[in-house]
Amino acid sequence: MRVMKNINSIVVNLNPEEFKDGSTSIGKLMSSSIDEHAEENYLQELLKDKNKSVTEKSIEIMYHLMKNKIFWNGNKRTAALVPINT
């Protein structure tokens, strides 16, 4: 989780602690608060899964970050870089 926060802080030049902490609405898109504990558990369980290759895990992490938009900004850029570091 720390790696994702650090990468996000680089790609958007923000404080790495800035997960979404409130609901926002942009057009038809609705975004809600992020449960950091649940995100950490998801990541740990995925990384422990011995039935998935490194490639599969990387793709799943990338898709998860892009879909769930856990940061205020730079989610796709962060998602593209995180698998390289996990």
Side-chain angles (χ1 to χ4, degrees), residues 31-49:
S31 181
S32 59
S33 296
I34 300 301
D35 180 348
E36 187 172 348
H37 182 69
E39 288 296 322
E40 181 70 34
N41 287 340
Y42 166 79
L43 183 60
Q44 293 304 318
E45 289 300 314
L46 177 62
L47 294 176
K48 284 193 272 185
D49 189 345

Side-chain angles (χ1 to χ4, degrees), residues 14 18-24 69-75:
L14 292 174
E18 293 192 36
F19 279 117
K20 287 184 180 177
D21 59 0
S23 294
T24 60
K69 299 178 178 140
I70 66 172
F71 297 103
W72 286 111
N73 194 3
N75 287 285

Side-chain angles (χ1 to χ4, degrees), residues 42-43 45-61 64:
Y42 166 79
L43 183 60
E45 289 300 314
L46 177 62
L47 294 176
K48 284 193 272 185
D49 189 345
K50 296 186 185 305
N51 295 318
K52 294 182 180 177
S53 70
V54 172
T55 302
E56 290 171 314
K57 291 175 186 181
S58 295
I59 291 168
E60 192 167 327
I61 291 169
H64 178 81

Side-chain angles (χ1 to χ4, degrees), residues 2 4-20 70-75 77-78:
R2 173 65 40 208
M4 283 194 292
K5 287 181 178 183
N6 288 338
I7 290 171
N8 184 258
S9 72
I10 292 167
V11 300
V12 297
N13 197 23
L14 292 174
N15 181 341
E17 302 299 321
E18 293 192 36
F19 279 117
K20 287 184 180 177
I70 66 172
F71 297 103
W72 286 111
N73 194 3
N75 287 285
R77 289 170 282 165
T78 300

